[in-house]
Structure formats: C-alpha cells, structure tokens
C-alpha cells in the first residue's frame, strides 16, 4: 500500500492532527481526524438520510470531524484522486 500525503491541519500543535492522504493504487481518500462527539454521532445514526437506507453507523465505520480550514487540502486530495483514476 502506497499513500501520497496531501496535507495536515495547518493549526496542528505537533501531536495527532487531521491529515489527508490518497492511496495510490485505488485513489481512495484516507482521512485521519478527531472522532465526532456522541451528540453528532447520535444525530447521524438516528436520521434516515436516504429513503429506505438503514439508519445507524455500522460497527466497522467511524464518523470523524475535519476542520473547515482543511477544505483546500480536501480539494487538492480530490484532484489527486481524480487524476489517479484517469491513469
């Protein structure tokens, strides 16, 4: 597995911080972020976002929070992923 580092939270304090990579083989975005607080997970898990789709957060998935200041980094990661899929 080869990851291409795209960027990290510009306000990081030197410890764990939201980070974005693109997996080169699949062009999947890989995100590290702060796990969402219980209230946010409850709202997400209890809402039917798509008609007929199961509610809840599956045990193998996590809700993470990425700061808005990282939007430019996410855009760059999307551009990288899109270029990877064209190859």
């Amino acid at each position: 597995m080869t990851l291409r580092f795209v960027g990290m939270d510009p306000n990081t304090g030197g410890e764990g911080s939201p980070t974005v990579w693109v997996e080169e083989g699949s062009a999947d975005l890989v995100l590290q972020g702060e796990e969402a607080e219980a209230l946010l997970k409850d709202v997400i898990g209890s809402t039917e976002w798509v008609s007929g789709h199961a509610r809840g957060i599956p045990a193998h998935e996590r809700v993470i929070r990425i700061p808005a200041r990282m939007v430019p980094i996410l855009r760059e990661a999307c551009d990288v992923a899109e270029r990877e899929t064209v190859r």
Side-chain angles (χ1 to χ4, degrees):
M1 172 184 306
T2 303
L3 296 174
R4 176 176 172 177
F5 172 79
V6 178
M8 118 179 347
D9 182 352
N11 290 359
T12 185
E15 294 188 18
S17 61
T19 307
V20 180
W21 301 266
V22 174
E23 184 179 2
E24 291 187 359
S26 66
D28 288 347
L29 298 181
V30 179
L31 306 172
Q32 174 184 323
E34 182 178 323
E35 186 170 359
E37 63 275 9
L39 178 59
L40 180 57
K41 290 191 285 188
D42 286 344
V43 168
I44 290 170
S46 65
T47 303
E48 184 180 37
W49 297 101
V50 176
S51 180
H53 193 277
R55 294 180 190 202
I57 301 167
H60 67 281
E61 295 182 358
R62 299 291 178 269
V63 175
I64 63 170
R65 184 182 287 276
I66 300 292
R69 64 184 166 265
M70 291 185 66
V71 167
I73 294 168
L74 289 171
R75 279 194 190 109
E76 180 182 347
C78 289
D79 291 344
V80 168
E82 188 173 53
R83 285 191 302 269
E84 284 288 318
T85 59
V86 173
R87 290 182 182 183

